[in-house]
Amino acid sequence: MGRGVDSKLGGKMLRDIISAFGRRQVSLIFFRYKYMVLILSCVLFLWACLGDSTSSVKSVHPVHQALEELEPEYPDFEEKTEKEINNRNIKETVHKTVHKTVHRKKKDPSLLREKILSSKVEDEERSKLLVIPSDSESKIHNQDLDKQYQKPVSPRRRENTLNGVMMRNQDPVDVEWVVVGGADIYKAQDVGGRGGYDEFLQDFAKQVEGAGEGGEPVHLSGVEKQQGEEILKKEAFNLVASDKIIYTRSVPDTRDRRCQAVHYDANLPTASIVIIFTNEAWSPLIRTIYSVLNRSPAEFIHEIILVDDFSDKKHLGSKLERFIRKYFPSKVKLLRLKERQGLIRARLTGARAATGDVLIFLDSHCECNTGWLEPLLQRIKEEPMAFVVPIIDVIDDKTMEYYHGNGNYFQVGGFTWGGHFTWIDISPEELARRGSPIAPTRSPTMAGGLFAVSRKTFWDLGSYDEEMDVWGGENLEMSFRVWQCGGVLETIPCSRVGHIFRSFHPYSFPGNKDTHGINTARTVEVWMDEYKKLFYMHRPDLLSTDIGSVKNRNKFREDKQCKPFSWFLKNIYHQKFILDDPEHVYAYGRLRNPNTDTCLDNLQNDDKDR
Ligand code: UDP
Ligand code: MN
């Protein structure tokens, strides 16, 4: 053994160690070779530190990762980025990268922003990163960030955040899009289709320059007038007039003038816009999509999800797919349902496919107005439990006129005991509470077609009653549930969206069922407690109608420990007239004249408000 040891000292040391172990005198070794031990420990310590720092270089900072993924195209860009990463001046790196990408117009800066937003950086830190600093600011090194990102970040799928809360409530679904827009991928051809046949020319040819511009009405004459009246009976609105208006017409800014002075955060949650449709006419659907794209800051539109609820109209088949591919950007995506589901399940399908922070539902015949999006997102950012609705402007079903008033009068949602939605005036208490005419205004109920909510809250608060069919009642169900289970429902006065109000439904109701009645009966069974008898007074027929089981919904109410309906009436809709409340009425019932055996009847004239 001794022969294998070359150095004199080494040989002697080894012999000493062996003999010391033999004599069980280990302490002797440390005493005799204390300097050697000291040097050895130092070397070991240094080695350990070096190893540690090497591994920290390998760890992936989400921002670094985003930068790397940007595939730097310019040599100096790459060099600088690498250097700056080493310096760990993240703020400056982001600033310069954004500056360069903007400056050279080669890369979309929103790409970087999106990547940073999608990273797991804490919200506060994230907002720091997104601030493009001035020169002096950019010199500040963020020590905390340095420490925080020593740990390697595991690979992750794209997730959005809202105020730092991860969306985990709904399992992600594998979405098979039927088509996604391609206008930003393949260069869109000019309208007019230079060379070759453009199938959309027929539609463009119908459009008349200036028609309906500024939200003005389209007045038809002669044959067109007749055609318009005919089609009104089928589509429930004047499609001839609509087809004359370009897809991107302007509409009057109907907002309260004070809204123009409101500033919104630069960093707002992103939106998934869900537009469902069944057999919608062509031009209103296309106009709805354009109005979203053209009147929203692009960075806040995460995606526009179109859900076709089993339409069979020809123009909504492959023609629609080709139009989307040709004219819309890739954020516009289409899903098709394999059988008719009705608006409730169609919206749920869209919501399941969505990955933005906020869900915004729109009908397929809307026109979003100037600045409609930011106030909705801002409010949800501030109050994550809020379900918010824009003021719904009226687009005339006969002339397509976009109505505008003085901008500051609007109503909120109520309901009748017969189970219908109504518009009601804002209560004096709420007028006082909200503080400003353009502040979020509490609404007891919502109309239903247009609303925005954080995706997390949508699922947390029970999404929709999946067993409701086709149309109707779901808006009151959602309204009661939101209030009773801890949410808030508000109208946001600075957000305005036009909607074509139709006088009948231009689509079928499978089985000719009264889905509104049945869905409302499901609503009252779950949410109205003893007050449901007031509903059944109006609809005794529904007492003996099969409305399916509401077990799941009752369980949800129980699990969430939602408040009783009496709480809602007292605190949110205290002005509601209650038929059997002694404070409201002396007596109620039927007034019959026994001599003539006739009853007093209001011919339902007053029904709207009750
Ligand atoms: N809708 C749907 N499936 C249905 C019924 C309606 O997808 O079975 C869609 C419809 O195309 C529209 C939205 O749901 O985009 C709301 O319907 P509608 O506009 O008829 O309701 P209203 O505005 O009259 O209350
Ligand atoms: Mn509608």
Side-chain angles (χ1 to χ4, degrees), residues 276-278 309 340 342-343 363-365 470-471 499 502 505 507:
I276 57 159
F277 59 91
T278 192
D309 187 10
R340 179 78 179 281
L343 80 88
D363 274 8
S364 43
H365 33 259
V470 186
W471 176 92
H499 170 259
R502 307 184 287 200
H505 299 289
Y507 43 77

Side-chain angles (χ1 to χ4, degrees), residues 187-422:
K187 199 172 175 297
Q189 289 164 28
D190 281 349
V191 177
R194 276 180 215 136
Y197 167 72
D198 185 334
E199 65 180 311
F200 305 113
L201 265 181
Q202 298 178 28
D203 300 304
F204 290 120
K206 287 184 200 163
Q207 297 173 354
V208 177
E209 212 185 317
E213 207 51 52
E216 289 297 310
V218 175
H219 295 296
L220 303 171
S221 58
V223 183
E224 282 187 338
K225 190 167 183 238
Q226 271 176 13
Q227 285 172 340
E229 281 160 12
E230 270 315 299
I231 211 151
L232 190 74
K233 293 181 200 152
K234 234 173 71 195
E235 294 283 355
F237 81 103
N238 191 336
L239 184 59
V240 179
S242 173
D243 285 350
K244 282 186 167 296
I245 303 169
I246 59 165
Y247 300 137
T248 54
R249 78 152 164 184
S250 58
V251 291
D253 185 344
T254 48
R255 293 174 299 173
D256 185 308
R257 279 173 57 201
R258 282 163 282 202
C259 296
Q260 292 172 19
V262 179
H263 288 278
Y264 301 99
D265 291 358
N267 180 15
L268 289 172
T270 63
S272 290
I273 318 277
V274 177
I275 301 171
I276 57 159
F277 59 91
T278 192
N279 279 340
E280 185 60 81
W282 176 261
S283 52
L285 172 66
I286 301 298
R287 197 171 293 117
T288 305
I289 304 165
Y290 270 119
S291 78
V292 174
L293 287 167
N294 290 347
R295 301 216 179 87
S296 319
E299 66 266 36
F300 301 140
I301 301 287
H302 179 67
E303 60 197 343
I304 299 176
I305 298 177
L306 309 173
V307 183
D308 171 17
D309 187 10
F310 204 56
S311 303
D312 54 14
K313 282 192 178 163
K314 203 162 166 242
H315 62 259
L316 298 170
S318 56
K319 178 185 174 187
L320 177 63
E321 292 172 23
R322 288 191 293 276
F323 192 92
I324 292 172
R325 207 173 288 124
K326 187 168 177 182
Y327 291 107
F328 290 136
S330 49
K331 353 179 130 169
V332 180
K333 309 157 185 180
L334 173 71
L335 279 179
R336 292 196 195 273
L337 301 178
K338 294 199 171 59
E339 54 188 270
R340 179 78 179 281
Q341 295 291 347
L343 80 88
I344 295 99
R345 288 191 292 274
R347 283 203 190 124
L348 279 167
T349 305
R352 284 196 187 98
T355 50
D357 297 324
V358 167
L359 296 172
I360 302 185
F361 297 94
L362 294 178
D363 274 8
S364 43
H365 33 259
C366 291
E367 284 174 78
C368 300
N369 208 316
T370 313
W372 74 290
L373 181 65
E374 296 93 321
L376 300 177
L377 298 178
Q378 181 77 44
R379 181 59 184 155
I380 290 169
K381 184 178 177 183
E382 281 157 14
E383 176 46 85
M385 293 302 280
F387 284 63
V388 291
V389 294
I391 295 181
I392 308 175
D393 286 328
V394 177
I395 302 173
D396 190 283
D397 54 348
K398 293 177 188 72
T399 65
M400 296 297 287
E401 178 175 1
Y402 192 114
Y403 287 114
H404 53 99
N406 64 4
N408 47 34
Y409 172 76
F410 67 96
Q411 290 182 302
V412 291
F415 71 92
T416 68
W417 290 112
H420 287 278
F421 171 84
T422 65

